[in-house]
């Protein structure tokens, strides 16, 4: 990376910074909200998701997620030796080549900015659900007794299971809706 493009180290946000931890909790809350609304919107397309207040809220959430994506380019990380990396070229390289960046990029394609022009991009909104998996890292980073971590991990897996069941139920409804004319009263084609 060219020297003039590097961000001075004093502007690099430490992954240990309490503000970053608070930001991650805020993003997690928005991701949990998205994890329930997105499957409902994609499968049921209820009227409330087209109301102006909901569209405005959804747009604000999308902008916050885009800001979070940009924030990842200036957030330090630990290397394999346990040293905090604050070099912007290394940070950017690690993020761009990660699975998280791929999900964040496709999630941006599913935002209302693009889906109003290319309606089929709505399906990319499902990639916003990937942000929920920050919960694992947050539990691992907690400075608490291992019994508390084990209990929180149990709740995390229960939440993931509930989320999976929710997504499968919404998907099942959509499949049945699409094939409603192909199935008789006994469920046979």
């Amino acid at each position: 990376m060219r020297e003039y493009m590097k961000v001075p180290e004093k502007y690099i946000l430490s992954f240990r910074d309490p503000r970053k931890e608070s930001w991650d909790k805020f993003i997690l809350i928005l991701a949990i909200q998205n994890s329930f609304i997105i499957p409902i919107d994609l499968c049921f397309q209820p009227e409330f998701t087209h109301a102006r207040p909901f569209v405005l809220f959804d747009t604000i959430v999308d902008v916050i997620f885009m800001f979070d994506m940009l924030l990842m380019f200036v957030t330090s990380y630990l290397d394999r030796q346990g040293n905090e990396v604050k070099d912007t070229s290394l940070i950017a390289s690690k993020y761009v080549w990660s699975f998280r960046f791929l999900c964040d990029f496709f999630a941006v394609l599913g935002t209302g900015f693009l889906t109003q022009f290319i309606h089929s991009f709505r399906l990319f909104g499902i990639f916003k659900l990937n942000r929920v998996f920050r919960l694992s890292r947050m539990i691992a980073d907690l400075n608490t007794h291992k019994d508390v971590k084990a209990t929180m991990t149990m709740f995390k897996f229960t939440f993931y299971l509930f989320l999976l069941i929710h997504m499968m139920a919404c998907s099942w409804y959509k499949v049945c809706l699409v094939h409603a004319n192909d199935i008789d009263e006994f469920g046979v084609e």
Side-chain angles (χ1 to χ4, degrees), residues 48-62 112 116:
F48 77 87
T49 60
H50 304 292
R52 186 174 300 270
F54 182 83
V55 171
L56 178 64
F57 176 75
D58 195 43
T59 302
I60 291 170
V61 170
D62 287 342
Q116 64 184 344

Side-chain angles (χ1 to χ4, degrees), residues 120-138:
S120 60
F121 276 14
R122 287 182 68 231
L123 193 57
F124 284 116
I126 205 79
F127 282 98
K128 294 177 192 176
L129 303 182
N130 184 54
R131 290 182 177 93
V132 168
F133 295 112
R134 287 187 186 185
L135 185 58
S136 296
R137 196 193 78 226
M138 291 172 83

Side-chain angles (χ1 to χ4, degrees), residues 87-139:
D87 182 345
T88 51
S89 60
L90 294 174
I91 293 170
S93 177
K94 181 178 183 338
Y95 179 54
V96 167
W97 293 108
S98 69
F99 180 71
R100 184 173 179 177
F101 176 78
L102 188 65
C103 290
D104 287 347
F105 175 77
F106 284 124
V108 168
L109 293 178
T111 61
F113 305 119
L114 295 175
T115 58
Q116 64 184 344
F117 303 112
I118 307 169
H119 192 68
S120 60
F121 276 14
R122 287 182 68 231
L123 193 57
F124 284 116
I126 205 79
F127 282 98
K128 294 177 192 176
L129 303 182
N130 184 54
R131 290 182 177 93
V132 168
F133 295 112
R134 287 187 186 185
L135 185 58
S136 296
R137 196 193 78 226
M138 291 172 83
I139 291 173

Side-chain angles (χ1 to χ4, degrees), residues 11-167:
Y11 296 116
I12 299 296
L13 184 62
S14 174
F15 71 95
R16 293 183 185 128
D17 191 323
R19 294 173 296 173
K20 173 65 172 144
E21 291 174 4
S22 297
W23 175 259
D24 283 343
K25 290 173 187 171
F26 175 65
I27 292 295
L28 182 63
I29 290 168
L30 293 178
I32 289 171
Q33 179 269 338
N34 263 350
S35 66
F36 290 105
I37 294 295
I38 289 171
I40 289 172
D41 185 34
L42 287 174
C43 297
F44 295 98
Q45 298 175 351
E47 287 298 318
F48 77 87
T49 60
H50 304 292
R52 186 174 300 270
F54 182 83
V55 171
L56 178 64
F57 176 75
D58 195 43
T59 302
I60 291 170
V61 170
D62 287 342
V63 169
I64 290 170
F65 282 162
M66 285 183 217
F67 180 75
D68 181 59
M69 190 175 173
L70 293 175
L71 198 61
M72 290 302 299
F73 285 101
V74 291
T75 302
S76 68
Y77 69 92
L78 283 180
D79 64 9
R80 292 180 191 247
Q81 289 78 31
N83 302 319
E84 187 172 7
V85 176
K86 292 189 173 187
D87 182 345
T88 51
S89 60
L90 294 174
I91 293 170
S93 177
K94 181 178 183 338
Y95 179 54
V96 167
W97 293 108
S98 69
F99 180 71
R100 184 173 179 177
F101 176 78
L102 188 65
C103 290
D104 287 347
F105 175 77
F106 284 124
V108 168
L109 293 178
T111 61
F113 305 119
L114 295 175
T115 58
Q116 64 184 344
F117 303 112
I118 307 169
H119 192 68
S120 60
F121 276 14
R122 287 182 68 231
L123 193 57
F124 284 116
I126 205 79
F127 282 98
K128 294 177 192 176
L129 303 182
N130 184 54
R131 290 182 177 93
V132 168
F133 295 112
R134 287 187 186 185
L135 185 58
S136 296
R137 196 193 78 226
M138 291 172 83
I139 291 173
D141 291 345
L142 282 176
N143 188 13
T144 186
H145 195 267
K146 65 181 177 179
D147 291 341
V148 174
K149 281 188 180 184
T151 303
M152 292 184 78
T153 302
M154 182 184 69
F155 284 121
K156 173 191 75 172
F157 286 129
T158 303
F159 169 72
Y160 287 166
L161 180 62
F162 184 74
L163 183 61
L164 177 66
I165 291 169
H166 171 67
M167 289 175 31

